[in-house]
Amino acid sequence: MAVAVAICPGSFDPITIGHVDIVGRASKMFDKVIMLTMVNRKKVSLFTPEERVDFMRRATAKFPNVEVDFFDGLLADYAKEKGAIAIVKGLRALSDFDDEFKQALANKKIAPGVETVFLVTSAEHMFLSSSVVKEIGSFGGDIGGFVPPEIKEDIIKLIRERCTQ
Ligand code: PNS
C-alpha cells in the first residue's frame, strides 16, 4: 500500500510551539510527515541548519511518524524526490495568505502532483512566530510559553550569545 507522505516546510529559526502544533496535527492526517527546514532567501537566520534540525528533532520526538531534514534547494523538487502528496503550511492570519498563496501556485507549477494544504493556526498561537521569540529573547524576556520546554534553555543561550541589545 502507498504511504502518504507530507512535507511541512519552514525556516524554523527556531521551532516554536505553534510549529509543533501544526506538525502534530499533520502527523494525524498523513502516514509520514517530513518537517523540513529550508533556506528562505528573504530572511537571515540566527541559528545554523544543524542547530535548527537538532531543536526540531528534540521538539518532535514524541511524534513517531515525523522526520526532520534540511534541504537547501527548491521545496517542489524535494517534495517530488520524496514522493510526497502534500505540502502542509500553517496559516496564522490573512496577512500570511498572499505570500503563501503565491508560493503554493509556484510549487504546484513545478510539482503538479503535490497539493498544498493549509492548516489554520490554533487560536492561542496567532501571535506567535520565530521572530517574536528572537525579539523577546534578545531583550532577556521569558520565552518559556513560546518554545518547546526541552529546547528552551539552549535557545536562550544561543540568543544571548548572538543578539546584542
Ligand atoms: O518559515 P518560512 O520562512 O515562511 O518558510 C518559507 C520557506 C522556507 C518554506 C520558503 O521560503 C521556501 O520554500 N524556500 C525554499 C525555496 C523554494 O522552493 N522557493 C519557492 C517558493 S516560491
Side-chain angles (χ1 to χ4, degrees), residues 9-13 19 36-43 71 73-77 89 92 99-100 102-104 106-107 110 130:
S11 302
F12 305 120
D13 186 53
H19 298 134
L36 184 67
T37 184
M38 307 197 76
V39 176
N40 183 341
R41 296 251 187 263
K42 295 178 208 141
K43 295 180 183 170
F71 184 63
L74 283 177
L75 171 57
D77 287 343
K89 295 268 194 107
R92 281 165 307 194
D99 194 38
E100 291 295 349
K102 287 176 193 150
Q103 285 183 52
N107 288 330
I110 306 169
S130 301

Side-chain angles (χ1 to χ4, degrees), residues 134-150:
K134 288 179 279 192
E135 171 93 5
I136 293 174
S138 71
F139 287 100
D142 181 10
I143 58 166
F146 308 153
V147 297
E150 53 273 58

Side-chain angles (χ1 to χ4, degrees), residues 56-112:
M56 290 156 68
R57 288 215 170 106
R58 288 157 61 195
T60 61
K62 59 187 166 204
F63 306 123
N65 61 337
V66 173
E67 289 176 14
V68 171
D69 200 3
F70 168 74
F71 184 63
D72 182 4
L74 283 177
L75 171 57
D77 287 343
Y78 183 93
K80 276 194 286 190
E81 189 198 308
K82 295 291 176 181
I85 60 166
I87 291 165
V88 177
K89 295 268 194 107
L91 278 188
R92 281 165 307 194
L94 210 55
S95 52
D96 285 346
F97 189 73
D98 187 49
D99 194 38
E100 291 295 349
F101 191 74
K102 287 176 193 150
Q103 285 183 52
L105 290 175
N107 288 330
K108 183 85 175 162
K109 187 86 181 164
I110 306 169

